[in-house]
Amino acid sequence: PQLPLYAVANRRGLAGVAFASLKPGQMRYAGLAERDGIAPGIAAYAGLRRAPEGVADWPALLEFWRRNLEALATEYAAGDARVAPKSAETCKRCHLAMLCRIHSLGGPPQEEVRDDA
């Protein structure tokens, strides 16, 4: 949640969020933006195929991030430490399976995407 947190904390004039991927031979930017042309590798959010349901544009995405981050912070402050991956695909790519409690709780989620994180 680091980049969404930075984004919602300083929304004024924000045109995009990105990070640099520094793999040997594959150095590039990755991210999302309000519009095309921000930087190479930064996609316009409006054209994203895997957008959360009901989150059609950049302002809606920032609001979606704000709501989800506030919910996450509230859970954390209340001591809620459930293992809650966003999708089963998350568990497939994770390198920390030996340390994770998800399997003791009945395995990864069956639904494809959670709405709250």
Side-chain angles (χ1 to χ4, degrees):
Q2 186 174 358
L3 288 178
L5 180 60
Y6 293 157
V8 300
N10 193 16
R11 292 174 76 156
R12 191 174 173 158
L14 181 71
V17 294
F19 62 92
S21 177
L22 302 175
K23 296 178 183 175
Q26 296 180 338
M27 291 188 282
R28 63 183 177 85
Y29 288 114
L32 296 173
E34 183 175 27
R35 65 187 182 284
D36 280 325
I38 299 292
I42 312 292
Y45 176 75
L48 191 65
R49 290 182 299 156
R50 293 179 49 192
E53 188 174 328
V55 184
D57 58 17
W58 184 249
L61 177 63
L62 295 176
E63 180 58 23
F64 175 79
W65 284 345
R66 185 197 61 75
R67 283 191 323 268
N68 283 283
L69 287 164
E70 283 183 2
L72 184 62
T74 299
E75 290 171 3
Y76 181 79
D80 186 348
R82 285 178 286 167
V83 177
K86 292 171 76 174
S87 74
E89 190 64 28
T90 301
C91 292
K92 289 178 187 174
R93 295 188 316 256
C94 182
H95 66 284
L96 300 173
M98 295 292 291
L99 302 174
C100 187
R101 297 176 288 139
I102 192 73
H103 300 291
S104 66
L105 300 173
Q110 298 303 311
E111 72 277 359
E112 190 54 32
V113 177
R114 280 184 21 185
D115 184 36
D116 67 331

